[in-house]
Amino acid sequence: MYYIEAAGLVANRMYTNINTFSGGMKAWKSAGYEVQKNNPLTAFEVETIDSATFKKDFQNCCVVDVRIRKQYSMGFYTRYLSNEMASLTFEHRKKYIHKIPLQYLSSRYKKIAKDKKVVVVDYKGKQAPLAVRYLKSVGYDPVYMLKDGMSSFEN
């Protein structure tokens, strides 16, 4: 019953709306469902930026927050980046600070500016690597992830 274990691992990475198919891919195919074989993401290296460097260079970054919506209310920006956020104009925030949950990234990535380095943030650094690889695959460079996510500010 690997599918139950796999669903648990995915849930631990803060994904929602998880469904399983008893019997796995073999049962899926024998039930007559289609299997798409898309090209996997290229194995781009995921470069990290630590929280101190991120905070110091905040104004020169395009921030992409891929946490799920219910995590936005945790207040990381107001608790740990309040001075940095206060110094930004509304126009700057609108252009360079993006809250795009990972599940919507492929349909909303074009909103992300390419004229600054992109830093992908999540809660604990679990979802960001996938987002970094995706953004690199569609032409963004440089792209970093915040090492250990927003929780790194708590340490």
Side-chain angles (χ1 to χ4, degrees), residues 55-72:
K55 193 169 185 171
K56 187 175 81 177
D57 203 28
F58 187 72
Q59 290 190 340
N60 298 315
C61 299
C62 180
V63 181
V64 180
D65 189 337
V66 296
R67 293 177 295 157
I68 58 175
R69 284 194 174 114
K70 69 181 178 181
Q71 292 178 326
Y72 294 153

Side-chain angles (χ1 to χ4, degrees), residues 82-96:
S82 58
N83 293 337
E84 291 77 6
M85 289 293 283
S87 68
L88 302 178
T89 64
F90 174 77
E91 291 78 20
H92 183 98
R93 288 184 192 194
K94 187 174 179 179
K95 184 174 181 181
Y96 297 112

